[in-house]
Each structure stands twice: as C-alpha cells, then as structure tokens.
C-alpha cells in the first residue's frame, strides 16, 4: 500500500481536478434503513481519509469521533460551514485500498436526516464542505508520508553510521593483520635458521666417536639435541601455519571491506532517494 500511496501522491496534481466534481448527494444504509447522504471519492486510502477527518474535527475542537457500526459519529455538534445549529454528523469510509469513498450524513437528531429535499441549503453546504476536505486529506496524506520517509531516513543514517564505524574497524583489522604477517614472516626466517642450526648441531653430535664410557655421554647429548631439533621444527611449522591463517584472515578482511564499502554506497544512495522524495512531498504540500 505504501508504494501505491507514493505513486498516488506523485500523480495528485491530475486527480485533484476531479475531486471537486465528484461530490454528490446519494444514500447509504444506516441502522438497516436507506438514508440520505453526501459522498465524495478521494485518491487516498481509507486510513488516511479517516485520520484527516478526525484531525480536522479535533483542530476545530469538535468533540466525538467514536466509531460504531462502521460510522464515525459526532453527536450534537456545530459545524459553522454547514449549519449554525447543533446536529449529529456521521462519516463512513469505504476503503478501496488505493482510494476511498467518504460518506457524510447530517441529522437534526433522533436520526432525522437532512437531504436536498428536506434541507436544500444544508445539503448544498454539505457538498461544499465534503469537497473542501480534499485539501485536509491531501495534507494529512503528504504529512503522513513525510513522517514515514523522515523516519526511514533516520534509520538509514543510523545504519550508515554503523557501517562507517564498522568500515573503520575493518581497516584497523587489516592493518593489524598485515603487521602480523610482516612480523611472522621475519619470525619464519629466524625459526628456519634456528631449525637448520639445531639440525647441524645434531648432525655434528651424531658424528662424534669415543670410548664406551664416552658413548653413553654422547648418546645423552644426541637425545638432548634431537629434542632441540623437534622443538625448533615445531616452532617453524607453527609459524608457517600462522602465515597461512594470516593470509586467510587478510583475504576475509579485504572481502569484508569491499562488502562494507558497497553497503555504504547503497545506504548513501537510499538516503539521497529518500531526501529527494521528502523534498518532492514538501513541494507538493506547499502547493496545496
């Protein structure tokens, strides 16, 4: 409905010419009886038409507006544009999703409804009054949509702010990962050199010879050096695994940065569209 409403608002300059011509006297069922009424069609959904009427009455300090059996009722009220004496006024809105038909009934009380035949002046003024509601309904519709779009803009701006903050965090993560890669690369070189050095020492110890008594000492030295080689090898291999992990982290971070930048571009585009729409709606509102 929201998208359709926007389309209707955009085309309103054409449809508004018809509103003043379709107000007419008609009849509608009230308490299971056909009663005289005045109706007009509006290119606004029923909820907008209803909201506009209630606002107009509230602004005019006209009390009432209770809904019963599908009618919005204002009992014993004075609407100067129609009648200087108290009367009961009933509104019924027929919602047609993208438009609505508004019915207005006026009664002297006790369901003594007025019509062209019984009260021609009141009937004529009622037609004029319901026709004049066009501006109120259009105004209410524009303001309602402006409020919704403003809220949407605020939400988008919050999302953009979060995206920018996340983007800054991702850049820091990338810098940290690159720093880790550089440090680890240097560490790999040192660990490789240490592993090779420990291996040479092991080879040297293994090449030693001596008496039977000396060989026991040599075996212990060999065992100790083998442990040193294993530790050096483990550290070197661990650094290689870290290098692979850092590489994956960097690739993932770069992907996230690209996605974040695309999201920021999308949000900025959405914000500009909403701003443009709000400006257009305000322009139409001021032109009423």
């Amino acid at each position: 409905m929201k998208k359709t409403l926007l389309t209707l608002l955009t085309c309103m300059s054409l449809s508004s010419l018809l509103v003043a011509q379709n107000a007419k006297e008609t009849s509608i069922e009230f308490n299971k009886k056909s009663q005289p009424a005045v109706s007009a069609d509006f290119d606004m959904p029923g909820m907008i038409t209803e909201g506009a009427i209630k606002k107009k009455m509230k602004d005019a300090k006209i009390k009432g507006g209770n809904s019963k059996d599908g009618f919005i009722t204002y009992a014993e009220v004075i609407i100067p544009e129609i009648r200087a004496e108290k009367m009961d006024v009933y509104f019924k809105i027929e919602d047609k999703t993208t438009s609505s038909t508004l019915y207005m009934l006026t009664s002297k009380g006790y369901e003594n409804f007025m019509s062209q035949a019984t009260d021609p002046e009141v009937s004529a003024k009622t037609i004029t009054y319901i026709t004049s509601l066009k501006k109120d309904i259009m105004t209410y519709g524009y303001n309602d949509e402006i409020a919704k779009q403003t809220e949407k803009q605020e939400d988008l701006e919050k999302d953009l702010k979060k995206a920018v903050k996340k983007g800054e965090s991702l850049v820091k993560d990338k810098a940290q990962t690159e720093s880790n890669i550089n440090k680890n690369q240097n560490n790999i070189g040192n660990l490789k050199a240490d592993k090779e050095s420990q291996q040479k020492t092991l080879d040297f110890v293994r090449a030693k010879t001596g008496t039977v008594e000396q060989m026991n000492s040599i075996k212990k030295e060999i065992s100790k050096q083998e442990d040193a080689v294993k530790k050096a090898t483990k550290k070197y291999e661990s650094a290689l695994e870290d290098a692979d992990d850092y590489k994956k982290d960097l690739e993932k971070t770069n992907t996230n940065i690209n996605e974040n930048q695309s999201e920021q571009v999308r949000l900025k585009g959405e914000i500009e569209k909403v701003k443009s729409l709000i400006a257009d709606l305000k322009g139409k509102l001021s032109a009423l």
Side-chain angles (χ1 to χ4, degrees):
M1 181 187 291
K2 185 175 181 180
K3 183 176 181 182
T4 306
L5 177 57
L6 289 174
T7 302
L8 290 171
L9 290 172
T10 304
C11 301
M12 200 54 62
S13 58
L14 295 176
S15 63
S16 62
L17 297 175
L18 303 175
V19 180
Q21 299 174 13
N22 68 15
K24 61 183 180 181
E25 187 172 47
T26 184
S27 62
I28 189 172
E29 185 175 300
F30 183 91
N31 282 347
K32 299 181 180 181
K33 292 182 180 180
S34 179
Q35 300 291 1
V38 171
S39 71
D41 297 323
F42 297 95
D43 289 322
M44 281 287 180
M47 64 178 190
I48 295 297
T49 300
E50 180 178 343
I53 290 171
K54 288 183 175 180
K55 183 179 185 305
K56 184 176 179 65
M57 293 297 172
K58 183 178 180 180
D59 292 345
K61 300 186 186 311
I62 297 176
K63 296 181 179 180
N66 296 324
S67 296
K68 183 179 180 181
D69 299 327
F71 287 86
I72 303 171
T73 305
Y74 292 89
E76 297 184 350
V77 298
I78 295 177
I79 300 179
E81 298 94 325
I82 298 177
R83 192 168 186 254
E85 300 174 68
K86 288 184 178 180
M87 59 182 175
D88 296 336
V89 178
Y90 304 88
F91 292 101
K92 185 176 180 63
I93 300 166
E94 183 180 338
D95 185 30
K96 300 177 181 178
T97 306
T98 59
S99 62
S100 58
T101 297
L102 173 64
Y103 296 89
M104 184 175 181
L105 297 80
T106 54
S107 168
K108 296 177 182 178
Y110 304 100
E111 297 184 13
N112 183 15
F113 291 98
M114 293 178 273
S115 66
Q116 175 65 34
T118 62
D119 299 88
E121 184 178 353
V122 170
S123 179
K125 288 183 177 181
T126 302
I127 289 177
T128 299
Y129 181 81
I130 202 171
T131 297
S132 71
L133 290 176
K134 177 198 72 169
K135 183 174 181 179
D136 298 281
I137 294 171
M138 297 300 105
T139 298
Y140 189 89
Y142 284 135
N143 281 326
D144 181 73
E145 193 57 37
I146 287 171
K148 290 177 181 177
Q149 292 302 318
T150 299
E151 183 178 356
K152 182 178 179 180
Q153 179 185 333
E154 291 172 351
D155 289 340
L156 286 169
E157 287 174 342
K158 288 179 182 177
D159 290 341
L160 178 59
K161 187 176 181 179
K162 290 179 182 178
V164 170
K165 188 174 181 180
K166 182 178 179 181
E168 293 171 347
S169 178
L170 287 170
V171 170
K172 290 180 181 179
D173 289 345
K174 179 180 179 180
Q176 183 61 54
T177 300
E178 289 175 336
S179 175
N180 291 338
I181 288 173
N182 291 331
K183 290 178 181 178
N184 188 62
Q185 195 62 40
N186 292 331
N187 195 33
I188 286 174
N190 294 331
L191 291 173
K192 182 179 180 182
D194 182 57
K195 181 178 79 72
E196 291 173 348
S197 175
Q198 295 294 345
Q199 183 63 47
K200 286 180 181 180
T201 301
L202 177 60
D203 293 340
F204 174 77
V205 174
R206 282 175 175 172
K208 285 184 177 182
T209 59
T211 64
V212 174
E213 293 180 357
Q214 290 174 331
M215 287 304 296
N216 288 331
S217 178
I218 291 172
K219 285 180 181 180
K220 289 180 180 179
E221 189 177 354
I222 289 172
S223 177
K224 183 178 180 181
Q225 190 57 37
E226 283 176 341
D227 288 341
V229 170
K230 287 179 181 179
K231 289 180 180 179
T233 301
K234 187 176 181 180
K235 288 182 179 180
Y236 174 67
E237 290 175 348
S238 178
L240 291 177
E241 291 176 359
D242 288 343
D244 188 52
D245 290 340
Y246 287 140
K247 180 181 178 182
K248 290 178 182 178
D249 287 344
L250 184 60
E251 290 174 350
K252 183 178 179 180
T253 301
N254 281 330
T255 298
N256 290 338
I257 287 174
N258 290 334
E259 291 177 350
N260 177 265
Q261 290 175 342
S262 296
E263 177 67 1
Q264 288 188 45
V265 170
R266 184 191 72 79
L267 289 170
K268 288 177 182 177
E270 287 294 318
I271 290 171
E272 289 306 311
K273 286 180 182 179
V274 173
K275 283 183 176 180
S276 177
L277 178 57
I278 291 174
D280 183 57
L281 289 169
K282 287 182 177 180
K284 293 180 183 299
L285 181 60
S286 64
L288 288 176

